[in-house]
Amino acid sequence: MRIAVAGGTGVVGRHVVEAVSAAGHEPVVIARSQGVDLTTGAGLDGVLDGVGAVVDVSNVTTLSRRTAERFFVRASENILAAGRRAGVGHHVLLSIVGVDRSPLGYYRAKRRQEEEVLAGPLPATVLRATQFHEFVDQSLARVPGPVAVVPRMRMQPVAASEVAAYLVEIAVGEPQRRAADLAGPQVLEFADLAREVTAARGLRRRVLPVRVPGGAGRAMTNGSLLPTQDGPRGRITFREWLGADVR
């Protein structure tokens, strides 16, 4: 099967492309570098020719609900419309555990995207996953300086490679609308993981955890971003991932 990966050059997308090939299928990368613009739809019709399933892991880096929603809705509308014209049989969207329990603008935008996909013209499956192990490095990179101010946050991180493999497994199966939430093997504190990363990478930075005010902060600390039911769980612990990454 030809499986298209929207955002196929990103942190998760690269793993999805590898997982598609490892499963014996043909990956098709959808990205600006490949001449495709998700926000306008330019290039989508050509790249989806002969594609049986689309896995959408595209992303935009912003905390603004308006900016995120504009990107996610436009991208989904364009992929779904082009997919319908091309005869795509399954649209798989990666979302986030807790998008319906946090008022964070980005999360609300992802929730709107879920609704767009499930109401769209293609058979679809939405997979919500917890934050990736890679999320800690990404967050530290956004806070320069000797002191890394990080949110107080309970999380159950999962390796992006395991998310990718599960997305491909879903893509080649029957559409489910909502798949069971995917999470990592351990519930951990973000600040503890940030300290492990700074130590492992030789960064001379003090990690300072602070509570984010309002409903978003409460969701981070009260378990709202953790799965509430049994479901698939990754096997790679954060420490195992970090050890392999720094070698």
Side-chain angles (χ1 to χ4, degrees), residues 132-214:
F132 315 129
H133 293 329
E134 291 83 352
F135 174 72
V136 180
D137 269 311
Q138 293 172 334
S139 298
L140 289 173
R142 298 189 190 109
V143 189
V147 178
V149 179
V150 302
R152 293 190 179 276
M153 178 178 177
R154 292 179 68 208
M155 57 191 297
Q156 195 167 340
V158 61
S161 59
E162 293 184 302
V163 176
Y166 193 56
L167 284 167
V168 175
E169 182 180 326
I170 290 173
V172 299
E174 293 297 319
Q176 308 173 43
R177 291 188 63 80
R178 270 290 309 277
D181 291 351
L182 174 63
Q186 300 168 300
V187 177
L188 303 163
E189 292 291 334
F190 183 91
D192 292 337
L193 303 185
R195 292 186 182 100
E196 288 196 36
V197 167
T198 55
R201 305 207 186 285
L203 304 175
R204 296 183 178 180
R205 304 186 69 187
R206 178 190 172 201
V207 174
L208 177 64
V210 298
R211 177 160 184 153
V212 175

Side-chain angles (χ1 to χ4, degrees), residues 16-208:
V16 177
V17 171
E18 292 174 0
V20 169
S21 296
H25 301 284
E26 179 186 352
V28 178
V29 176
I30 298 178
R32 284 184 181 272
S33 61
Q34 304 299 311
V36 182
D37 188 336
L38 294 178
T39 59
T40 65
L44 274 172
D45 284 317
V47 80
L48 291 181
D49 185 36
V51 165
V54 172
V55 177
D56 184 5
V57 293
S58 60
N59 192 30
V60 59
T61 303
T62 181
L63 293 179
S64 164
R65 177 181 178 179
R66 181 176 180 180
T67 300
E69 191 168 298
R70 183 167 58 245
F71 173 82
F72 288 133
V73 170
R74 286 180 180 175
S76 292
E77 287 176 343
N78 289 330
I79 296 172
L80 291 166
R84 179 182 55 80
R85 292 191 294 268
V88 171
H90 194 179
H91 183 97
V92 180
L93 173 68
L94 177 61
S95 189
I96 310 167
V97 171
V99 289
D100 52 348
R101 300 191 296 271
S102 172
L104 192 68
Y106 180 88
Y107 277 42
R108 289 184 173 180
K110 285 297 292 184
R111 179 63 175 143
R112 172 67 192 286
Q113 185 185 30
E114 291 183 355
E115 295 168 351
E116 190 76 26
V117 166
L118 293 177
L122 296 181
T125 302
V126 172
L127 171 67
R128 292 178 180 175
T130 51
Q131 288 78 19
F132 315 129
H133 293 329
E134 291 83 352
F135 174 72
V136 180
D137 269 311
Q138 293 172 334
S139 298
L140 289 173
R142 298 189 190 109
V143 189
V147 178
V149 179
V150 302
R152 293 190 179 276
M153 178 178 177
R154 292 179 68 208
M155 57 191 297
Q156 195 167 340
V158 61
S161 59
E162 293 184 302
V163 176
Y166 193 56
L167 284 167
V168 175
E169 182 180 326
I170 290 173
V172 299
E174 293 297 319
Q176 308 173 43
R177 291 188 63 80
R178 270 290 309 277
D181 291 351
L182 174 63
Q186 300 168 300
V187 177
L188 303 163
E189 292 291 334
F190 183 91
D192 292 337
L193 303 185
R195 292 186 182 100
E196 288 196 36
V197 167
T198 55
R201 305 207 186 285
L203 304 175
R204 296 183 178 180
R205 304 186 69 187
R206 178 190 172 201
V207 174
L208 177 64

